[in-house]
């Protein structure tokens, strides 16, 4: 999942990439953002893609930095939201070893730290910290490893969507899958994607100088995981982790 991948995805973004804003029917993420917002504050949207959160951010904050590694994504966002005059579009690689950024009062980062590369994730978490002023708040959403394993267990136990017919293409792929899962990396649409444990997320943020204030599940319907979920399959629903954290140092 490098820059090339995201540039290729950009033109078909709406068809290919899961829309967290639309699928969070609880509105918990919007509420968390509204709680940290102020017309006196600046905010950075890290991994903004085609800008789904821009209307909310541009109306709740004084200034918005919309940052993404993909120039095409940023161009799409810029054209769509040209009527918001307080948004600056910045091409940035948050996984780069060195980052030039003007720290903001608040930051959001919604399902952007997905790379299977540990080195890139370490840099990305450092960049989260560099992007915020001391005392600033972060709203971070990441895929949940617990949810993914729960989904896999259900798929296998009740053969959902023909799970028993699934074949692993080669022994090389089997080795890769086994190696990845030990690190919380598991495929979404055949793309190795980092998923996080709740405890892991707390640790990673505290190591970057954040005080975690809340971690909550963002629940989705079973239709987001299965084409044909069993009718009896209800709560607990699949989820992402949303974390609200304050930068202490
Ligand atoms: C799944 S999309 C999420 C988009 C958006 N936050 C949302 O909720 O609709 C992930 C985005 O993160 C961006 N991204 C991935 N790695 C990045 C990096 N190293 N630096 C900046 N942006 C990155 C991708 O280009 C992509 O637009």
């Amino acid at each position: 999942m490098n820059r090339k991948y995201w540039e290729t995805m950009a033109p078909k973004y709406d068809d290919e990439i899961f829309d967290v804003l639309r699928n969070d029917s609880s509105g918990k993420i919007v509420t968390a953002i509204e709680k940290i917002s102020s017309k006196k504050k600046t905010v950075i949207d890290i991994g903004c893609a085609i800008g789904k959160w821009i209307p909310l951010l541009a109306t709740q904050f004084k200034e918005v930095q919309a940052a993404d590694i993909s120039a095409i994504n940023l161009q799409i966002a810029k054209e769509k939201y040209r009527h918001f005059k307080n948004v600056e579009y910045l091409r940035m690689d948050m996984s780069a070893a060195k980052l030039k950024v003007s720290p903001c009062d608040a930051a959001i980062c919604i399902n952007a730290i997905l790379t299977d590369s540990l080195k890139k994730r370490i840099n990305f978490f450092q960049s989260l910290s560099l992007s915020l002023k001391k005392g600033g708040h972060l709203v971070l959403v990441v895929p949940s490893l617990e949810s993914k394993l729960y989904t896999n267990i259900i798929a296998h136990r009740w053969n959902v969507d023909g799970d028993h017919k699934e074949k692993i293409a080669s022994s090389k792929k089997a080795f890769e899958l086994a190696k990845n899962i030990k690190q919380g990396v598991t495929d979404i649409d055949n793309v190795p994607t980092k998923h996080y444990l709740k405890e892991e997320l707390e640790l990673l943020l505290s190591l970057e100088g954040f005080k975690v204030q809340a971690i909550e599940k963002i629940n989705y319907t079973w239709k987001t995981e299965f084409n044909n979920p069993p009718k009896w399959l209800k709560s607990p629903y699949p989820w992402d982790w949303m974390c609200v954290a304050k930068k202490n140092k």
Side-chain angles (χ1 to χ4, degrees):
M1 237 183 233
N2 51 17
R3 179 178 174 198
K4 194 167 160 237
Y5 170 85
W6 289 110
E7 295 291 18
T8 315
M9 278 296 155
K12 45 188 177 181
Y13 188 91
D14 268 328
D15 297 329
E16 299 285 340
I17 306 294
F18 182 70
D19 186 338
V20 174
L21 176 58
R22 191 156 54 82
N23 282 284
D24 174 20
S25 57
S26 70
K28 280 185 195 172
I29 307 176
V30 170
T31 304
I33 294 172
E34 283 172 348
K35 266 194 194 159
I36 62 163
S37 72
S38 157
K39 276 298 203 181
K40 291 182 182 154
K41 287 185 185 172
T42 56
V43 66
I44 180 164
D45 182 355
I46 296 170
C48 66
I50 59 169
K52 294 192 187 265
W53 299 88
I54 285 177
L56 175 70
L57 300 177
T59 48
Q60 296 281 328
F61 288 87
K62 181 176 67 174
E63 279 165 20
V64 182
Q65 291 184 22
D68 204 279
I69 197 171
S70 156
I72 304 176
N73 270 343
L74 288 170
Q75 195 51 39
I76 294 170
K78 199 172 178 177
E79 274 163 29
K80 194 161 180 199
Y81 298 113
R82 58 173 75 249
H83 50 290
F84 292 116
K85 304 294 179 204
N86 58 344
V87 184
E88 191 184 0
Y89 296 88
L90 304 165
R91 209 194 73 72
M92 276 188 198
D93 179 0
M94 306 300 281
S95 289
K98 281 189 185 148
L99 183 78
K100 264 197 188 161
V101 62
S102 318
C104 288
D105 301 305
I108 73 163
C109 181
I110 315 286
N111 272 2
I113 317 180
L114 307 175
T115 173
D116 59 343
S117 156
L118 175 60
K119 190 164 182 284
K120 286 186 179 176
R121 290 198 304 274
I122 291 172
N123 287 347
F124 209 132
F125 273 86
Q126 282 171 357
S127 297
L128 288 184
S129 183
L130 291 173
S131 305
L132 265 178
K133 291 181 190 164
K134 190 178 169 193
H137 281 93
L138 166 71
V139 175
L140 175 68
V141 176
V142 292
S144 155
L145 182 58
E146 298 90 333
S147 175
K148 184 63 189 258
L149 292 179
Y150 181 56
T151 300
N152 287 348
I153 289 165
I154 287 173
H156 188 68
R157 169 65 179 80
W158 287 280
N159 192 22
V160 185
D161 291 348
D163 182 81
H164 295 177
K165 279 195 211 131
E166 238 176 60
K167 294 252 183 317
I168 298 174
S170 61
S171 50
K172 185 171 168 253
K173 181 70 182 171
F175 178 75
E176 186 191 299
L177 289 172
K179 200 171 104 207
N180 280 348
I181 194 63
K182 284 175 79 177
Q183 300 308 318
V185 173
T186 162
D187 285 11
I188 298 181
D189 299 332
N190 289 319
V191 181
T193 305
K194 174 61 181 164
H195 291 63
Y196 297 81
L197 297 173
K198 187 178 176 209
E199 287 75 9
E200 176 189 11
L201 198 53
E202 279 170 321
L203 177 64
L204 292 174
L205 288 170
S206 68
L207 289 174
E208 295 307 331
F210 285 95
K211 169 99 181 99
V212 173
Q213 297 185 320
I215 298 196
E216 284 190 69
K217 284 180 177 180
I218 303 300
N219 285 116
Y220 307 116
T221 68
W222 279 113
K223 273 277 181 193
T224 63
E225 291 291 343
F226 298 133
N227 292 323
N228 292 301
K231 286 214 167 44
W232 51 264
L233 186 59
K234 306 273 186 233
S235 171
Y237 291 98
W239 71 94
D240 280 341
W241 289 121
M242 177 185 73
C243 181
V244 180
K246 187 175 174 184
K247 185 174 162 182
N248 278 339
K249 288 186 252 167

